[in-house]
Amino acid sequence: MPVPALLLPSPVEVLDDERLDAAGVRLLLKRDDLIHPDLPGNKWRKLKYNLEAAQAAGASRLLTFGGAYSNHIRAVAAAGALYGFDTVGVIRGEAYDPLNPSLQVAVDHGMHLTYLDRQTYRRKLDPDVIARFRREFGDFYLIPEGGSNALAVRGCAELVGEITEDFDVICCGVGTGGTLAGIAAGLKPGQRAIGFSSLKGGEFLSDDVGALQHGALGEVTANWEIETGYHFGGYAKSTSELAAFIDDFESHHGLRLDWVYVAKMVCGLYDLVAQGRFDAGTKLVAVITGFHFETQVHS
């Protein structure tokens, strides 16, 4: 599989912040957002082995699912353009007219968009729904919503080995669970992972992460947990509190955080630090899985 210019391993940066210093904790940022402008972070890691599998199967078309602001939809569209696949994005809910910036980027990369009402979307993997797509689009390699499957877990597990500095806890955002499942699978004894759900009512994600690990590893590791109280209204929703945190973080550190996943995770992590959840001397890693999309589009 030909590989575009990727920044791997992605950089690890020390974050200097007086609020963290006061708690006696050290925070490193794993800058996966810098891997590739169109395939940032966990999107590349999840797609890497799926793209290899699609090519090995002789597939010429990729079909996947996502919400209207899905980073995964954009990444699959970009991967198709880079690796020579046709792409179809099945979007949850009603058609957008005009397209939002996220979907417009997908279309600009050649992706064909189709839409499913929310009731049908909940059973999107049922045989009758998949058969309908095959009648409409022909044969395709199916990539699940968010890219999360056993191959994605394998790709995300590789992230941990790129971090050469010792750490105690690694944190990431959670949408479909593949990134957390993989990261936890790659940890050393004594290390643990915390996922921050970007979904309201995300308690079900623990079952999903467990299922992904079992499918990929044959077991479920005991070194991870999910925080569900930092969704800020739910998927692709925000609040004035989150917006203020994003602005403050940028003013202190010059990095504009992705508001769909990453900012919720970092804001939640800061809150846990303020609550004293981590002992003094704890070394933390926050995985920056993607960039602030609107800034990228309009810059």
Side-chain angles (χ1 to χ4, degrees):
M1 182 175 68
V3 177
L6 302 173
L7 182 59
L8 289 170
S10 60
V12 176
E13 301 174 352
V14 178
L15 192 74
D16 294 319
D17 193 301
E18 65 277 3
R19 292 163 290 186
L20 304 176
D21 294 340
V25 301
R26 189 165 188 255
L27 179 59
L28 307 175
L29 302 183
K30 177 61 169 161
R31 294 293 305 275
D32 265 20
D33 57 310
L34 300 177
I35 288 177
H36 188 278
D38 292 321
L39 299 172
N42 62 340
K43 303 313 170 190
W44 163 251
R45 297 188 189 277
K46 288 181 176 182
L47 287 173
K48 175 182 176 181
Y49 292 114
N50 276 288
L51 293 172
E52 288 186 0
Q55 289 188 330
S60 61
R61 179 175 294 110
L62 309 174
L63 183 141
T64 195
F65 305 89
Y69 289 91
S70 170
N71 295 327
H72 169 70
I73 287 289
R74 292 200 313 272
V76 171
L82 288 167
Y83 292 103
F85 293 99
D86 294 331
T87 55
V88 177
V90 182
I91 309 302
R92 179 181 63 247
E94 67 283 351
Y96 277 66
D97 185 21
L99 295 176
N100 67 41
S102 185
L103 294 180
Q104 186 61 59
V105 167
V107 169
D108 290 345
H109 278 116
M111 175 173 274
H112 176 83
L113 301 181
T114 188
Y115 297 83
L116 275 185
D117 65 86
R118 294 176 185 273
Q119 182 176 356
T120 306
Y121 192 89
R122 284 192 287 271
R123 58 181 195 89
K124 56 187 175 295
L125 297 181
D126 286 0
D128 63 313
V129 179
I130 297 299
R132 165 185 155 188
F133 292 139
R134 294 201 186 279
R135 289 194 299 271
E136 184 173 355
F137 301 112
D139 197 21
F140 52 79
Y141 180 88
L142 179 65
I143 299 177
E145 182 174 22
S148 291
N149 57 12
L151 293 174
V153 172
R154 177 183 167 194
C156 289
E158 294 177 349
L159 178 154
V160 179
E162 296 178 4
I163 305 173
T164 57
E165 185 167 346
D166 288 338
F167 65 89
D168 303 297
V169 181
I170 186 168
C171 303
C172 66
V174 180
T176 53
T179 303
L180 177 61
I183 286 174
L187 293 178
K188 299 175 183 177
Q191 296 176 327
R192 62 190 177 99
I194 303 176
F196 290 79
S197 172
S198 63
L199 313 178
K200 188 176 183 179
E203 289 77 12
F204 70 93
L205 288 167
S206 291
D207 290 337
D208 289 357
V209 172
L212 285 163
Q213 283 199 325
H214 193 273
L217 311 172
E219 63 175 349
V220 180
T221 65
N223 57 356
W224 57 271
E225 62 187 283
I226 299 179
E227 291 285 343
T228 60
Y230 299 99
H231 55 75
F232 295 91
Y235 172 73
K237 294 184 179 179
S238 184
T239 65
S240 57
E241 177 189 358
L242 184 65
F245 179 83
I246 291 171
D247 289 342
D248 179 74
F249 191 90
E250 183 179 26
S251 69
H252 277 81
H253 305 295
L255 175 62
R256 187 81 175 167
L257 299 174
D258 156 54
W259 63 278
V260 179
Y261 296 101
V262 178
K264 295 178 180 183
M265 177 265 295
V266 177
C267 186
L269 178 57
Y270 269 63
D271 189 54
L272 295 186
V273 169
Q275 292 177 31
R277 284 276 295 271
F278 305 106
D279 295 336
T282 300
K283 295 179 181 179
L284 305 166
V285 176
V287 182
I288 309 301
T289 51
F291 47 70
H292 188 276
F293 177 62
E294 287 80 3
T295 300
Q296 290 292 116
V297 169
H298 297 297
S299 61

